[in-house]
């Protein structure tokens, strides 16, 4: 079973075939009409040269009657016949599976997300490494989506690119994407960003193309008035009577910046890590990172064939295990998951209802160990390597992160439940998530790294390998250094499966220090009291 996007690709191919059949039928019909017209034209020329002589022949008179009574009626039926019925019927059936306006807007937002994360300028995104050129109309539509979201920064970027390609001689397919309309969007989006002089410049450029444009004429006067007012304020800003108003504006501006202060630094760090601009280890720290053959204390399965273990990061300790699953096993897991892939959801903190998460642009499916022996084998392999009990772990979650204009990503988060989420996994009855096992089931052409925003680590996808880390300290306290995120997939597809391992069952497998009063043996309620 193909993914939804792959299905749409083949649906379009089917529609193109149907359209070609319709064109062939129409061409055949027109060819028959053309031959009839040519035959009748030649006959009419001969007949009208000597009408009396022509009609004096009884056969000619009979055939004239026959043509007007029968053959012209047959021609009328031919001309009126609808060759599009099959194509229109097919199109109507397939349309129910087509993306809607929300899907198109989502894809547009994803392109802008990729643009921001990987620092792609509009020209690069339009014609560069993505190897799929955006037309004037595409850039114009992206600008419109940004405008509808009051995202004037991206409105300006994409409308400017559309104007550049238009001025470069590219012809738009839509009449809407003309220079006047583009300039109208540009001037207003630039004004909204506080650049009055540039907004005024684009408005004047618009009026040179269309001097009767009502909104532009109104904006011209308004921008000129605001610019004059701004200049007067700047001239008088040192005067004492204007200081108070200026201070209020600065305080409001600072307040607005504070409102996003907690979010923006992490967002910037996240995007830097996705671009490979993360923190570099010192040579001393790097010298302590090793790769080795690992037998997990001479586990019977690994004595002869140990696994390949590599240190990805030291604090927190992130391990990678190479060649953990075969290509055949990966394909089986994919085939099991594909029919059940669904958009990721979260629980609304107010209503408790599961909702589609706009920041989890992926599709996931859950596989149980009894469904297929390959799932059971992978679960057992996780237990053998980690030494942790997986009988209380969550089911294997298979996730597909797609590009396809979706720009799949999963923003910074913790896998474990924090102190302010005491009931995060209450319904499972297996305690908190002690560890995470993340298996990469595909290589990714570009993008798609797993990044740890608190410490600056970036782990690249490698098919057949898995990364493992503990989310909790031995005391049961959460390790906040494990905050991580999935970067958008720039080009390609990213398949992963993860196993969240819980506390219950690990009491004697991962012992806590003596100073913590044998925490694993304490009742859960007492542990919560002790550790907050």
């Amino acid at each position: 079973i193909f993914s939804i996007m792959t299905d749409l690709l083949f649906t379009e191919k089917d529609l193109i075939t149907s359209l070609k059949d319709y064109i062939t039928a129409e061409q055949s019909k027109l060819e028959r009409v053309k031959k009839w017209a040519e035959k009748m034209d030649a006959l009419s020329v001969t007949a009208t040269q000597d009408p009396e002589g022509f009609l004096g022949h009884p056969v000619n008179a009979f055939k004239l009657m026959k043509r007007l009574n029968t053959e012209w009626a047959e021609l009328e039926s031919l001309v009126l016949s609808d060759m599009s019925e099959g194509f229109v019927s097919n199109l109507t059936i397939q349309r129910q599976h087509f993306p809607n306006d929300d899907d198109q807007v989502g894809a547009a937002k994803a392109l802008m997300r990729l643009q921001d994360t990987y620092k792609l300028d509009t020209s690069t995104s339009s014609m560069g490494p993505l190897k799929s050129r955006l037309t004037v109309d595409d850039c114009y539509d992206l600008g419109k989506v940004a405008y509808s979201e009051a995202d004037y920064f991206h409105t300006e970027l994409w409308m400017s690119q559309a104007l550049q390609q238009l001025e470069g001689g590219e012809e738009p397919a839509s009449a809407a994407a003309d220079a006047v309309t583009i300039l109208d969007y540009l001037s207003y989006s630039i004004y909204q960003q506080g650049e009055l002089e540039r907004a005024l410049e684009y408005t004047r450029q618009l009026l040179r193309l269309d001097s009767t444009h009502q909104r532009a004429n109104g904006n011209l006067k308004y921008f000129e008035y605001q610019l004059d007012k701004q200049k007067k304020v700047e001239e008088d800003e040192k005067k004492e009577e204007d200081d108070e108003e200026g201070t209020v504006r600065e305080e409001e501006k600072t307040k607005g910046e504070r409102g996003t202060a907690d979010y923006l630094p992490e967002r910037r760090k996240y995007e830097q890590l996705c671009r490979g601009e993360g923190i570099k280890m010192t040579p001393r720290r790097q010298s302590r990172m090793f790769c080795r053959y690992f037998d997990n204390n001479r586990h019977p399965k690994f004595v002869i064939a140990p696994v390949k273990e590599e240190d990805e990061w030291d604090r927190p300790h992130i391990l990678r295990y190479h060649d953990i699953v075969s290509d055949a096993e990966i394909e089986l897991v994919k085939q099991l998951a594909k029919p059940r892939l669904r958009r990721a959801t979260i629980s609304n903190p107010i209503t408790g209802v599961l909702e589609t998460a706009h920041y989890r642009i992926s599709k996931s499916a859950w596989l149980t160990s009894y469904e297929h022996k390959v799932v059971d084998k992978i679960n057992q392999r996780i237990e053998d390597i980690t030494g942790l009990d997986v009988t209380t772990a969550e089911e294997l979650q298979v996730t597909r992160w797609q590009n396809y204009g979706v720009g799949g990503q999963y923003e910074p988060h913790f896998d474990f439940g924090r102190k302010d989420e005491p009931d995060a996994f209450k319904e499972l009855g297996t305690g908190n998530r002690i560890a995470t096992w993340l298996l990469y089931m595909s290589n990714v052409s570009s993008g798609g790294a797993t990044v740890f925003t608190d410490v600056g680590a970036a782990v690249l996808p490698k098919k057949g390998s898995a990364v493992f880390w503990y989310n909790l300290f031995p005391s049961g306290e959460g390790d906040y250094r494990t905050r991580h995120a999935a970067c958008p997939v720039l080009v390609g597809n990213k398949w992963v499966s993860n196993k969240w391992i819980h506390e219950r069952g690990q009491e004697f497998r991962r012992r806590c220090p003596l100073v913590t009063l044998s925490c694993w043996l304490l009742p859960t309620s007492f542990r919560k009291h002790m550790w907050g």
Side-chain angles (χ1 to χ4, degrees), residues 66 165 207 282 356 372 432:
K66 180 187 173 186
Q165 291 180 212
L207 289 170
T282 62
T356 298
H372 196 283
N432 212 340

Side-chain angles (χ1 to χ4, degrees), residues 222-272:
Y222 180 73
F223 293 162
E224 287 176 338
Y225 166 75
Q226 289 292 333
L227 194 58
D228 288 340
K229 185 178 177 181
Q230 186 183 76
K231 287 179 179 178
K232 287 178 182 178
V233 171
E234 289 173 357
E235 290 171 359
D236 299 338
E237 65 182 0
K238 293 182 181 180
K239 294 181 181 180
E240 187 175 349
E241 58 269 24
D242 292 329
D243 284 347
E244 185 177 349
E245 182 182 356
T247 303
V248 170
R249 283 201 304 272
E250 283 301 315
E251 287 176 354
E252 289 175 350
K253 181 179 179 183
T254 304
K255 184 178 179 182
E257 289 173 350
R258 286 197 196 108
T260 56
D262 294 335
Y263 168 73
L264 289 177
E266 184 178 45
R267 179 72 190 183
R268 283 194 292 268
K269 191 171 183 179
Y270 161 68
E271 292 178 350
Q272 287 173 344

Side-chain angles (χ1 to χ4, degrees), residues 422-439:
D423 299 328
F425 306 106
K426 184 178 180 180
E427 71 280 2
L428 298 178
T430 53
N432 212 340
R433 288 173 174 169
I434 188 174
T436 295
W437 172 279
L438 182 62
L439 173 64

Side-chain angles (χ1 to χ4, degrees), residues 367-415:
L367 302 180
T368 57
S369 57
Y370 58 77
E371 289 185 64
H372 196 283
K373 63 180 180 180
V374 70
V375 181
D376 188 47
K377 284 174 65 177
I378 290 173
N379 287 338
Q380 186 60 52
R381 205 168 296 159
I382 295 170
E383 179 167 316
D384 294 339
I385 292 172
T386 64
L388 298 175
D389 187 350
V390 300
T391 57
T392 58
E394 294 173 52
E395 302 297 351
L396 190 70
Q397 184 189 45
V398 180
T399 306
R400 184 176 191 179
W401 309 84
Q402 297 173 284
N403 180 23
Y404 293 148
V406 176
Q409 69 174 23
Y410 193 158
E411 295 192 350
H413 64 284
F414 299 102
D415 281 351

Side-chain angles (χ1 to χ4, degrees), residues 22 82-90:
Y22 161 65
D82 187 0
M83 300 296 175
S84 65
E85 184 178 350
F87 169 69
V88 172
S89 176
N90 190 20

Side-chain angles (χ1 to χ4, degrees), residues 195-207:
E195 298 184 55
L196 278 170
E197 289 188 8
R198 288 184 61 220
L200 187 60
E201 178 186 336
Y202 277 114
T203 303
R204 287 171 176 160
Q205 188 176 340
L206 187 161
L207 289 170

